[in-house]
Amino acid sequence: MILEVIILGTFKMYGEFSRKSFQRAAAYRFDAWTRIIGNVMFLFMWGFIWYGLYHGKGEVEGVSFQAMLSYILISQALQGLHGAGTPLWEIQERVRTGDIAMEMLRPYDYPTRMLFSDFGSITFYFMTAIVPLYTVLFLVLKPVVPTSFSQGGLFVVSAILGYLIRYCIELTFGLFTFWLVETGGVEDIFYFAISLFSGSVIPLWFFPGWLEQVAGYLPFQGIFFVPNSIFVGQLTGQAVWDALLSQVIWLLICYAILRFVWAKASMKIVIQGG
Amino acid sequence: MGLIEVNHLSKHYQIAKRQEGLGGALRSLFHREYMTKMAVQDISFAVNRGEVVGYIGPNGAGKSTTIKMLTGILVPTSGEIRVNGIIPFKERQKNARQIGVVFGQRTQLWWDLPTIESFELLKQVFEVPDQRYRQNMATFSDILGLGEFLYTPVRQLSLGQRMRADIAASLLHDPVILFLDEPTIGLDVVAKERMRTFIKEINRERGVTVILTTHDMSDIEKLCQRMILIDKGRVMYDGELAKIKERFGKERVLIVDLEGEATDFSIAGAAVIKQEGNRMWLRFSRDEVTASQLINQISEKYEIKDVTIKDPEIDVMIRHIYEKGMDGQADYQQE
């Protein structure tokens, strides 16, 4: 009973961060709309590139153009959502200005509070930009979509796992700022890894064998490639469960690393004053 | 036992030495040399419930380092701290619930949202009961005039308004102790006065113990019964402001404007420290001669047009302590 009250209270507190972030995102509607324009531009760019590559071919590697189009659409939609969270440079900025150190004066866990804040801005972006835009696009373009509720449900689970993996990695990279004077290199590594190994624009099945193998051993494929593949039906049956399991394992690993780095960063703040 | 107890507190930082030149830069990639900066050295003091204490010192004296250790976001190198029985860095979150903190140079409010939203967020964070929240908001709105900007985004507030909102935010959860790091920095005279009145009021009405750092001596004069003066990480003075005045404030300056030129001006018991045309600056000690005696003496020989007496300024007294220590002679110049 008491435990329930505590859990409920904690949830309410973190939930308040989501609400405030939602309100803040609403205050910056214009920002959301400009972002969606950029998102659509990239969508068209990749759409035309794949259209060109597929020209005159029915299937490539057993994947039809309709499935590929679907892959790009859902990938752009997910990337849009991820982009609505706190970007890497902002985390770096908060470390530099000492804002993070100040938040240690509060009775909450910083990584959790950040996650819930991101939920708020993402929800706003999801409702006002992603859903209306992509509903129209899917209706007009008629790409491949999940054919069963279970496929759709598994996609949602996988997409959420992917989001959490990226969140852990991005915050960890942001926290590296505590030890670095110049953070451009960290940013480059992060964005390179995210854009290539996550399968955000090129599905891993088009990778040369060795690169596909490398990507298979990295956590990034769990961010976009797995949910996208489930969505377009390239992963089915047992393979879906295997992929979900690997996402869960990667999430646990990334979370453990995040906690470790956060503990080290907190120690650095309290010993060296940030 | 005091509400805050600080015993032999020290904080040393390790700072990486930058080596010169390209070779140095390369070497420092593999091997770094460190030097130790002693930010706080062997500080001890105790603060009782209900006190308002001014924590003063020049830039880099160790004020912020001490405050950070008291709030728990910095671990002492050695020594002990207890804040209401809690060792801050060991139970930082528990400590956070009993203290309020305002850093004048940064804000705890959400920049892009109406001010009220930040208050609501803090209500949830500190689990302030609804009724208590409403009472506090009513009180703070009353004294600080929050009502006029509660629904304005924080980024549009003036500095004075933002500071008022920040201090109210730090008090929402009824802390026992309030730490204020330069609460009046950058404010105009009216805003400063308003801030001081509020600090005085919450100290009197709610018994909140206040520790504040400032560079503005009028803050100290108007708010603090006691001040702790630190320099280079050490306590230089801890006691009443009145005692400092007593000790260093004996000497005053009498400024007289005379009719006509004053030649060979000399008066027993006072020294001429400056002369500009017909205006004379005379330094005298309260113990030796009174101001009226001096004026009488002067008026016997000269025609006086105007008289002013200047009390020594606290800034000047304090600068004197920094330069010469508590035991140094009070031979400073008035400015």
XYZ file of all heavy atoms in Angstrom, chain B residues 45-79:
245
model
N 32.512 27.109 11.332
C 31.509 28.028 11.889
C 30.231 27.272 12.173
O 30.070 26.132 11.736
C 31.246 29.216 10.956
C 30.697 28.861 9.604
C 29.338 28.663 9.424
C 31.542 28.746 8.496
C 28.824 28.346 8.161
C 31.039 28.435 7.247
C 29.679 28.225 7.080
N 29.373 27.878 12.960
C 28.066 27.278 13.234
C 27.008 28.345 13.051
O 27.250 29.515 13.330
C 28.025 26.726 14.644
N 25.882 27.928 12.514
C 24.784 28.872 12.322
C 23.572 28.361 13.079
O 23.234 27.180 12.985
C 24.437 29.018 10.822
C 23.246 29.938 10.636
C 25.632 29.530 10.036
N 22.961 29.238 13.847
C 21.779 28.836 14.610
C 20.492 29.070 13.834
O 20.447 29.888 12.918
C 21.715 29.602 15.927
C 22.803 29.151 16.873
O 23.064 27.951 17.011
N 23.471 30.105 17.491
N 19.478 28.346 14.230
C 18.164 28.494 13.621
C 17.703 29.949 13.700
O 17.834 30.584 14.747
C 17.176 27.605 14.379
C 15.920 27.279 13.640
C 15.119 26.285 14.433
N 15.654 24.929 14.296
C 15.280 24.072 13.354
N 14.389 24.434 12.457
N 15.782 22.862 13.313
N 17.224 30.451 12.597
C 16.658 31.796 12.590
C 17.650 32.917 12.311
O 17.267 34.078 12.232
N 18.916 32.575 12.136
C 19.895 33.616 11.855
C 19.855 34.032 10.380
O 19.462 33.242 9.522
C 21.321 33.108 12.153
C 21.747 33.235 13.605
C 23.243 33.001 13.767
O 23.655 31.824 13.765
O 23.980 33.991 13.894
N 20.304 35.253 10.114
C 20.590 35.654 8.734
C 22.078 35.978 8.695
O 22.528 36.899 9.371
C 19.786 36.896 8.312
C 20.113 37.263 6.873
C 18.300 36.648 8.464
N 22.819 35.178 7.961
C 24.268 35.328 7.963
C 24.754 35.761 6.587
O 24.381 35.180 5.575
C 24.950 33.990 8.348
C 26.464 34.132 8.294
C 24.507 33.537 9.722
N 25.560 36.794 6.564
C 26.167 37.228 5.313
C 27.508 36.543 5.151
O 28.329 36.559 6.059
N 27.688 35.917 3.998
C 28.932 35.216 3.735
C 29.657 36.000 2.656
O 29.226 36.036 1.508
C 28.591 33.791 3.284
C 29.724 32.804 3.413
C 30.232 32.464 4.661
C 30.267 32.202 2.295
C 31.255 31.554 4.783
C 31.287 31.279 2.411
C 31.782 30.967 3.660
O 32.803 30.059 3.780
N 30.716 36.659 3.073
C 31.292 37.679 2.211
C 32.742 37.411 1.876
O 33.478 36.875 2.699
C 31.256 39.026 2.923
C 29.974 39.098 3.693
C 31.420 40.173 1.948
C 29.429 40.374 3.895
N 33.118 37.817 0.711
C 34.519 37.715 0.331
C 34.686 38.141 -1.105
O 33.714 38.179 -1.858
N 35.906 38.483 -1.502
C 36.126 38.886 -2.896
C 35.927 37.695 -3.836
O 35.795 36.560 -3.378
C 37.583 39.345 -2.903
C 38.208 38.767 -1.693
C 37.129 38.508 -0.711
N 35.926 37.958 -5.136
C 35.778 36.862 -6.102
C 36.881 35.844 -5.894
O 38.025 36.198 -5.686
C 35.870 37.403 -7.531
C 34.677 38.278 -7.862
O 33.589 38.072 -7.337
N 34.891 39.263 -8.717
N 36.505 34.570 -5.936
C 37.508 33.525 -5.792
C 37.915 33.263 -4.357
O 38.871 32.554 -4.101
N 37.175 33.817 -3.402
C 37.533 33.635 -1.996
C 37.128 32.269 -1.462
O 37.653 31.800 -0.472
C 36.890 34.723 -1.145
N 36.180 31.619 -2.161
C 35.712 30.319 -1.707
C 34.260 30.322 -1.252
O 33.779 29.345 -0.686
N 33.544 31.401 -1.547
C 32.135 31.502 -1.132
C 31.284 30.428 -1.786
O 30.618 29.645 -1.111
C 31.545 32.863 -1.519
C 32.173 34.043 -0.862
C 31.431 35.309 -1.234
C 31.404 35.593 -2.716
N 32.503 36.340 -3.271
N 31.331 30.401 -3.117
C 30.481 29.456 -3.843
C 30.870 28.021 -3.526
O 30.006 27.149 -3.421
C 30.580 29.685 -5.341
O 29.946 30.895 -5.650
N 32.175 27.769 -3.371
C 32.627 26.431 -3.028
C 32.003 25.987 -1.699
O 31.511 24.872 -1.573
C 34.167 26.404 -2.924
O 34.702 26.875 -4.151
C 34.676 25.010 -2.660
N 31.994 26.893 -0.726
C 31.383 26.562 0.561
C 29.890 26.285 0.406
O 29.372 25.290 0.919
C 31.580 27.714 1.564
O 32.921 28.156 1.509
C 31.257 27.258 2.976
N 29.207 27.170 -0.325
C 27.762 26.990 -0.515
C 27.483 25.646 -1.196
O 26.582 24.910 -0.808
C 27.163 28.135 -1.373
C 27.356 29.492 -0.688
C 25.694 27.887 -1.679
C 26.426 29.795 0.447
N 28.293 25.326 -2.209
C 28.092 24.056 -2.913
C 28.274 22.873 -1.976
O 27.562 21.876 -2.077
C 29.064 23.942 -4.087
C 28.615 24.702 -5.326
C 29.618 24.512 -6.440
C 29.216 25.284 -7.695
N 30.304 25.286 -8.680
N 29.228 22.962 -1.072
C 29.418 21.867 -0.130
C 28.256 21.786 0.855
O 27.824 20.704 1.228
C 30.756 22.036 0.603
C 31.951 21.703 -0.277
S 33.488 21.531 0.636
C 33.979 23.239 0.779
N 27.736 22.957 1.248
C 26.600 22.958 2.172
C 25.345 22.383 1.516
O 24.499 21.788 2.186
C 26.316 24.380 2.673
C 27.328 24.946 3.674
C 27.113 26.436 3.864
C 27.218 24.233 5.022
N 25.233 22.574 0.206
C 24.045 22.058 -0.482
C 24.232 20.601 -0.893
O 23.275 19.937 -1.265
C 23.725 22.873 -1.751
O 24.868 22.859 -2.596
C 23.362 24.295 -1.408
N 25.465 20.115 -0.842
C 25.697 18.692 -1.111
C 26.144 18.370 -2.521
O 26.357 17.212 -2.846
N 26.306 19.375 -3.399
C 26.751 19.041 -4.752
C 28.266 19.074 -4.870
O 28.808 18.931 -5.950
C 26.120 19.930 -5.852
C 26.221 21.395 -5.492
C 24.683 19.547 -6.097
C 25.791 22.305 -6.633
N 28.940 19.246 -3.748
C 30.395 19.183 -3.760
C 30.838 18.443 -2.494
O 30.315 18.689 -1.408
C 30.954 20.607 -3.782
C 32.352 20.824 -4.324
C 32.505 20.250 -5.724
C 32.688 22.301 -4.332
N 31.777 17.526 -2.673
C 32.265 16.744 -1.543
C 33.499 17.415 -0.937
O 34.417 17.769 -1.674
C 32.646 15.307 -1.995
C 33.154 14.483 -0.826
C 31.452 14.635 -2.633
N 33.531 17.610 0.369
C 34.703 18.236 0.996
C 35.933 17.340 0.871
O 35.808 16.123 0.815
C 34.309 18.351 2.471
C 32.850 18.094 2.536
C 32.489 17.274 1.347
N 37.106 17.964 0.811
C 38.337 17.191 0.830
C 38.575 16.683 2.248
O 38.967 15.538 2.458
C 39.529 18.067 0.388
O 39.199 18.662 -0.862
C 40.791 17.252 0.240
N 38.328 17.538 3.216
C 38.385 17.088 4.607
C 37.489 17.983 5.447
O 37.032 19.030 4.998
C 39.825 17.145 5.110
O 40.270 18.477 5.105
N 37.243 17.557 6.663
C 36.380 18.332 7.549
C 34.955 17.802 7.542
O 34.642 16.850 6.830
